[in-house]
Structures are given as structure tokens and as C-alpha cells.
Amino acid sequence: MAKIKPRVKVPKKAAAGEIIEIKALISHPMHTGRAKDKKTGKKIPRKIINKFVASFDGQDVFTANFEPAVSANPYIAFPFKASKSGAFTFTWVEDGGAEFTASKKMTVA
Amino acid sequence: MKQTKQFSTISRRHALAMLGAAGTAVFAGVPAYADGAAVAAKIKGLTGGKSVGEGTIELDLPEIAENGNAVKVAFSVDSPMTADNYVKAVHVMADGNPTPDVASFNFTPAMGACSASTRMRLAKTQNIIVLAEMNDGSFKQAQATVKVTIGGCGG
């Protein structure tokens, strides 16, 4: 299985009160449970990233719940209002409970 | 953030529309796809039967998607996003996929604005319905049709 690697884009610096855009991507096949393996003819069991959580200084600010209809390598972009310097933590949860995380710091001038 | 019209030449649009029609014909024999009723039931479950208002949601969807495996879906809801007036959640649904759910998003006032963008799979030409839930318990809805030339549900 391909290595699951999260990638996040957060501006390093922002002005107070500025609305920034955060972009997050994780490489993941997002098996829907409907496709068949071309070699064996067996169904590939469902395995998707079902949840994405973005938190800022330990407080959850944005959550996304994904269904199998979300494309492979799920991408998500969302806004955030910069008010103080701090650190973001991003968590992706896979079916079965495995978690992948990434974190980024942002300085507010 | 309007419907992006990338394929404006008439000949190309006609050609793609015909391809889309052919694709739908192939899928017509496949049962067990969600339909408008499944989405309506889903919306009723979410709203608890409350009436749903229109407007204040802008959708950014392609008019024609050549590849149903990754169709951009973006929306923005007009809201001040303050502690007393904000969008709590947004649900994205599709009425022609095997299951109606695509994704749902939970927003907080800390975000300052209500918008998000992701990519979804679409099995065939269908309607995308976006339902936004406000913090006061009211609902808003918007929908758009996406023509899909090649479906994106694998085998």
C-alpha cells in the first residue's frame, strides 16, 4: 500500500483579523468497498479517511466527515480568521481508527 | 464563485452532452443507485421536517465533469460567523451516487467565514444538493446539476 502522507498549506504569517485559507491533502486510496480487484476479481474492502479535524491551540475549529463519495487523496480547503499566533494540528482518521497528523505554526503580526 | 463555464464552444458542448447521454444509458440498467427520494429522506432526517429556505449559498461546481473520479465541489455560505449568528454545519449530497452522502462539514465562529472546497466522485450525471444548518436551527439549501461523461465509482 502506498505510503499515507499528509500535506498542509498554512500561511506562516498573517495580519490580525485576516481571513486565511488553509489547504490540506492526504494521499489515500479511499477504497469505497465497491470496486473490484482487477487480478483476483474480489471486492476491495472499504477503507476511507472518514474524518478530518483541524484544531488551533488545542481547540477544534473545523471538522469534516467524509463518505466514500469523496475522491481518492482527499483534499480540503477552508477559511480561518487569524487573531493570535499559535499552532494548528490536523488529524485524519481512517476506517479502523488509525490516525494521521500534521501540525503547522502561524505567526500573527 | 459562479458555475464555471469552461466549455463554451457549442460544438464541444454538444459533443460532450451526447457522450453524457450515452453514459446515462449504460447506467440505466444498473439498479441500487440513490435517487431524489433518498436525498429527500436524508434531508428530512437532518432537518426534522422543518422547511428549508433557499439562497445565501453559492456553489462552485463544473457544469460538465469529464472525469467523475474527482469533481471539484466548493461552496460558500453568506454568514457573519459571529458567536450568535453562524453556520453550524453543511452537508453535501448527490442524488445519483450509490449512497446520497458525499461529505459534511462542521463550522465554528473562529473560522471567520463559511466556505470549503473538496473533490468528490460522481457515478453519473446528477444533482448536487448542499444543505446548510444555521446555529438558530434554520436550514438553507442550494442545488446544481453536474453532467458527468465518465463515471467515478470503479468496477
Side-chain angles (χ1 to χ4, degrees):
Chain A
M1 193 165 137
K3 202 176 167 230
I4 294 167
K5 189 181 160 205
R7 276 190 288 163
V8 190
K9 207 169 179 183
V10 177
K12 281 195 182 74
K13 285 179 187 168
E18 187 186 347
I19 292 176
I20 57 164
E21 189 180 38
I22 296 170
K23 294 172 180 170
L25 182 84
I26 188 163
S27 51
H28 192 279
M30 297 289 276
H31 291 304
T32 60
R34 292 178 173 271
K36 280 179 184 161
D37 188 313
K38 280 185 182 128
K39 283 178 197 158
T40 62
K42 281 185 188 160
K43 274 197 174 178
I44 302 168
R46 174 183 147 150
K47 189 159 237 192
I48 66 166
I49 296 284
N50 58 42
K51 199 173 183 189
F52 167 78
V53 181
S55 66
F56 184 70
D57 281 353
Q59 198 177 358
D60 288 359
V61 291
F62 176 70
T63 322
N65 298 298
F66 294 143
E67 301 293 335
V70 172
S71 299
N73 306 330
Y75 162 83
I76 178 91
F78 57 96
F80 182 77
K81 192 174 183 180
S83 54
K84 55 174 185 170
S85 301
F88 289 99
T89 309
F90 305 97
T91 311
W92 288 261
V93 185
E94 189 184 48
D95 281 353
E99 288 189 4
F100 309 94
T101 56
S103 54
K104 289 274 177 187
K105 279 189 185 136
M106 181 183 68
T107 311
V108 172
Chain B
M1 302 286 278
K2 297 279 182 293
Q3 284 253 349
T4 42
K5 283 175 185 154
Q6 290 162 328
F7 309 100
S8 52
T9 55
I10 288 164
S11 59
R12 187 178 167 94
R13 176 176 289 183
H14 276 185
L16 285 166
M18 278 163 72
L19 273 172
T24 314
V26 170
F27 274 108
V30 184
Y33 278 94
D35 53 16
V39 170
K42 175 89 192 161
I43 291 172
K44 205 174 173 190
L46 288 166
T47 61
K50 274 190 208 163
S51 65
V52 177
E54 294 279 335
T56 72
I57 305 175
E58 272 195 52
L59 297 180
D60 183 5
L61 286 162
E63 202 165 291
I64 297 172
E66 290 187 19
N67 181 357
N69 265 318
V71 182
K72 184 194 173 185
V73 51
F75 60 84
S76 68
V77 185
D78 185 19
S79 163
M81 293 304 272
T82 56
D84 353 297
N85 185 1
Y86 66 98
V87 180
K88 218 163 92 182
V90 172
H91 307 273
V92 180
M93 289 159 274
D95 69 0
N97 271 355
T99 51
D101 298 301
V102 174
S104 62
F105 308 94
N106 297 313
F107 292 90
T108 57
M111 295 175 74
C114 178
S115 67
S117 164
T118 187
R119 292 193 277 253
M120 64 185 169
R121 293 172 171 137
L122 294 178
K124 59 176 181 177
T125 297
Q126 57 187 289
N127 298 314
I128 310 304
I129 297 103
V130 173
L131 182 73
E133 184 181 355
M134 310 297 160
N135 67 316
D136 63 3
S138 65
F139 290 87
K140 298 263 191 268
Q141 185 188 329
Q143 77 171 62
T145 306
V146 178
K147 284 188 178 141
V148 177
T149 43
I150 301 166
C153 275

